[in-house]
Structures are given as structure tokens and as C-alpha cells.
Amino acid sequence: MTLKIYLSGEIHTDWRDQITAGAKGLDVAFDSPVTHHEASDDCGVAIMGAEPDKFWHDNKGAKLNAIRTRHGIENADIVVVRFGEKYKQWNAAFDAGYAAALGKSLIVMHGPEHQHPLKEVDAAALAVVQEPQQVVQILQYVLNGTLPS
């Protein structure tokens, strides 16, 4: 049974790479948003034309990214959402809520400094972890029933 995993949230660290590397040999397939920041920000105007107003520039990009994100979440078996330390990820909060509303298995990852601000998001998750390796261990348990050694 191939599990489809959508990796959402913070794009400024290598947490996705750590999970995909740790999951080598597991029957999983990964998907994610576009993590190249400029491409993600500028996709709307690159495809649909320039905007003189920054609001409409961002609006076009956000809507195109939403098509990709919704598709990825809807087709996923498990959604992992990471909240990073450096930036406020409002899109990550939306993705977590959307996944929960669809009844997707949700894993939320963040540091202890976000415990209180994300308490409602955490309450919707089936697991809350701090490290990418914990996500890998969850996948190993779900697929093989094995615990970390």
C-alpha cells in the first residue's frame, strides 16, 4: 500500500529532505508545494500577466498555489504541516485546517515555542512532533508496525 504524503508548510529549512531521505525503502510517495520562494510568489503574474498593484500580484500567485495545494492535500493519505521558527506561516495554518476538514491524517511539526499559539491546530492533528525523524518513525510504524530501536 503506497502512502501518499503531502509535505506542507515552512520552506526555509531542509526538513522535507530529511523526511524523504529517512523514508527511503518505505512504500511512500511525496508531494509538496513549490518550495522555490520566488517561483511561488511570481507564478500568477508569470502566467497570467503583470500587475501594477502588489496586492493583485500576490493574489494571482496565491490562487494558483491554492490549486496545487488543494490538489496535493485532497490526494494525500497523510498531510505533514511544519511551522518554522522564523516566519509566520499563515498558509501552513490554512493547509492544516483544510486537511483536518477533509478528514486527512494530519501530522503537525513545530518547536515548543509554538505550542500555545498552535494549540487549536495541534488539537486537530493525529500526531504533533518536533523533528523530521519523528515523522519518519511514524511512517515506519504505520507501514510496518515497527518501533524505533
Side-chain angles (χ1 to χ4, degrees):
M1 132 178 126
T2 300
L3 282 180
K4 292 179 256 175
I5 316 295
Y6 190 79
L7 303 174
S8 178
E10 183 264 319
I11 64 169
H12 301 284
T13 63
D14 70 345
W15 69 274
R16 285 180 181 85
D17 296 335
Q18 292 179 49
I19 291 172
T20 55
K24 291 272 191 243
L26 295 177
D27 194 8
V28 294
F30 292 101
D31 193 11
S32 69
V34 172
T35 58
H36 183 269
H37 203 130
E38 291 78 17
S40 176
D41 285 350
D42 297 337
C43 64
V45 296
I47 295 168
M48 296 182 287
E51 288 292 341
D53 186 317
K54 181 69 171 146
F55 173 84
W56 294 112
H57 176 112
D58 289 346
N59 186 273
K60 280 183 176 180
K63 287 181 177 182
L64 286 189
N65 285 315
I67 294 169
R68 180 181 175 88
T69 299
R70 289 178 188 180
H71 180 267
I73 291 172
E74 288 166 6
N75 288 300
D77 298 306
I78 298 173
V79 177
V80 179
V81 180
R82 164 134 170 88
F83 292 85
E85 295 79 28
K86 191 171 180 183
Y87 300 96
K88 290 180 172 67
Q89 291 102 36
W90 307 115
N91 58 323
F94 174 83
D95 293 354
Y98 187 59
L102 292 175
K104 299 295 177 175
S105 295
L106 176 62
I107 300 170
V108 172
M109 184 173 27
H110 61 75
E113 69 279 2
H114 286 46
Q115 182 178 348
H116 181 73
L118 292 174
K119 62 186 176 292
E120 286 84 4
V121 173
D122 290 351
L126 295 180
V128 179
V129 300
Q130 292 185 25
E131 301 296 330
Q133 183 58 30
Q134 292 172 297
V135 174
V136 172
Q137 292 168 342
I138 289 170
L139 297 176
Q140 290 168 337
Y141 180 76
V142 167
L143 286 166
N144 302 326
T146 56
L147 294 174
S149 51

PDB file of all heavy atoms in Angstrom, residues 8 14 21 47 69 79 83 133 136:
ATOM      1  N   SER A   8       3.707  20.000   3.745  1.00  0.00           N
ATOM      2  CA  SER A   8       3.297  21.392   3.637  1.00  0.00           C
ATOM      3  C   SER A   8       3.980  22.257   4.693  1.00  0.00           C
ATOM      4  O   SER A   8       4.439  21.769   5.711  1.00  0.00           O
ATOM      5  CB  SER A   8       1.774  21.478   3.818  1.00  0.00           C
ATOM      6  OG  SER A   8       1.349  22.812   3.759  1.00  0.00           O
ATOM      7  N   ASP A  14      15.633  22.369   5.533  1.00  0.00           N
ATOM      8  CA  ASP A  14      15.673  21.117   4.767  1.00  0.00           C
ATOM      9  C   ASP A  14      14.840  19.982   5.375  1.00  0.00           C
ATOM     10  O   ASP A  14      15.096  18.821   5.113  1.00  0.00           O
ATOM     11  CB  ASP A  14      17.118  20.658   4.589  1.00  0.00           C
ATOM     12  CG  ASP A  14      17.745  20.183   5.887  1.00  0.00           C
ATOM     13  OD1 ASP A  14      17.197  20.464   6.976  1.00  0.00           O
ATOM     14  OD2 ASP A  14      18.799  19.526   5.826  1.00  0.00           O
ATOM     15  N   ALA A  21      14.664  11.426   2.800  1.00  0.00           N
ATOM     16  CA  ALA A  21      15.855  10.580   2.935  1.00  0.00           C
ATOM     17  C   ALA A  21      15.615   9.485   3.975  1.00  0.00           C
ATOM     18  O   ALA A  21      15.984   8.321   3.765  1.00  0.00           O
ATOM     19  CB  ALA A  21      17.070  11.423   3.319  1.00  0.00           C
ATOM     20  N   ILE A  47       2.369  33.728 -15.490  1.00  0.00           N
ATOM     21  CA  ILE A  47       1.457  33.005 -16.370  1.00  0.00           C
ATOM     22  C   ILE A  47       0.317  33.889 -16.882  1.00  0.00           C
ATOM     23  O   ILE A  47      -0.044  33.841 -18.055  1.00  0.00           O
ATOM     24  CB  ILE A  47       0.893  31.762 -15.648  1.00  0.00           C
ATOM     25  CG1 ILE A  47       2.028  30.775 -15.347  1.00  0.00           C
ATOM     26  CG2 ILE A  47      -0.221  31.094 -16.452  1.00  0.00           C
ATOM     27  CD1 ILE A  47       1.656  29.648 -14.397  1.00  0.00           C
ATOM     28  N   THR A  69      -1.948  23.234  -4.027  1.00  0.00           N
ATOM     29  CA  THR A  69      -2.033  22.782  -2.639  1.00  0.00           C
ATOM     30  C   THR A  69      -3.293  21.962  -2.396  1.00  0.00           C
ATOM     31  O   THR A  69      -3.235  20.884  -1.787  1.00  0.00           O
ATOM     32  CB  THR A  69      -2.002  23.996  -1.691  1.00  0.00           C
ATOM     33  OG1 THR A  69      -0.769  24.690  -1.890  1.00  0.00           O
ATOM     34  CG2 THR A  69      -2.119  23.570  -0.245  1.00  0.00           C
ATOM     35  N   VAL A  79      -1.038  14.173   5.678  1.00  0.00           N
ATOM     36  CA  VAL A  79      -0.551  15.529   5.452  1.00  0.00           C
ATOM     37  C   VAL A  79       0.329  15.912   6.635  1.00  0.00           C
ATOM     38  O   VAL A  79      -0.096  15.821   7.782  1.00  0.00           O
ATOM     39  CB  VAL A  79      -1.712  16.532   5.294  1.00  0.00           C
ATOM     40  CG1 VAL A  79      -1.182  17.957   5.144  1.00  0.00           C
ATOM     41  CG2 VAL A  79      -2.597  16.150   4.113  1.00  0.00           C
ATOM     42  N   PHE A  83       5.530  24.093  10.936  1.00  0.00           N
ATOM     43  CA  PHE A  83       5.570  25.504  11.285  1.00  0.00           C
ATOM     44  C   PHE A  83       6.989  25.824  11.729  1.00  0.00           C
ATOM     45  O   PHE A  83       7.479  25.261  12.699  1.00  0.00           O
ATOM     46  CB  PHE A  83       4.580  25.818  12.416  1.00  0.00           C
ATOM     47  CG  PHE A  83       3.153  25.679  12.006  1.00  0.00           C
ATOM     48  CD1 PHE A  83       2.525  24.443  12.055  1.00  0.00           C
ATOM     49  CD2 PHE A  83       2.441  26.773  11.551  1.00  0.00           C
ATOM     50  CE1 PHE A  83       1.203  24.307  11.670  1.00  0.00           C
ATOM     51  CE2 PHE A  83       1.116  26.645  11.162  1.00  0.00           C
ATOM     52  CZ  PHE A  83       0.501  25.410  11.216  1.00  0.00           C
ATOM     53  N   GLN A 133      12.718  13.337  11.974  1.00  0.00           N
ATOM     54  CA  GLN A 133      12.931  11.913  12.253  1.00  0.00           C
ATOM     55  C   GLN A 133      11.702  11.284  12.911  1.00  0.00           C
ATOM     56  O   GLN A 133      11.400  10.109  12.695  1.00  0.00           O
ATOM     57  CB  GLN A 133      14.174  11.706  13.128  1.00  0.00           C
ATOM     58  CG  GLN A 133      14.502  10.259  13.394  1.00  0.00           C
ATOM     59  CD  GLN A 133      14.737   9.451  12.110  1.00  0.00           C
ATOM     60  OE1 GLN A 133      15.189   9.959  11.098  1.00  0.00           O
ATOM     61  NE2 GLN A 133      14.406   8.173  12.146  1.00  0.00           N
ATOM     62  N   VAL A 136       9.373  10.280  10.186  1.00  0.00           N
ATOM     63  CA  VAL A 136       9.856   9.038   9.577  1.00  0.00           C
ATOM     64  C   VAL A 136       9.477   7.849  10.456  1.00  0.00           C
ATOM     65  O   VAL A 136       8.985   6.826   9.954  1.00  0.00           O
ATOM     66  CB  VAL A 136      11.382   9.084   9.343  1.00  0.00           C
ATOM     67  CG1 VAL A 136      11.913   7.726   8.905  1.00  0.00           C
ATOM     68  CG2 VAL A 136      11.731  10.165   8.328  1.00  0.00           C
TER      69      VAL A 136
END
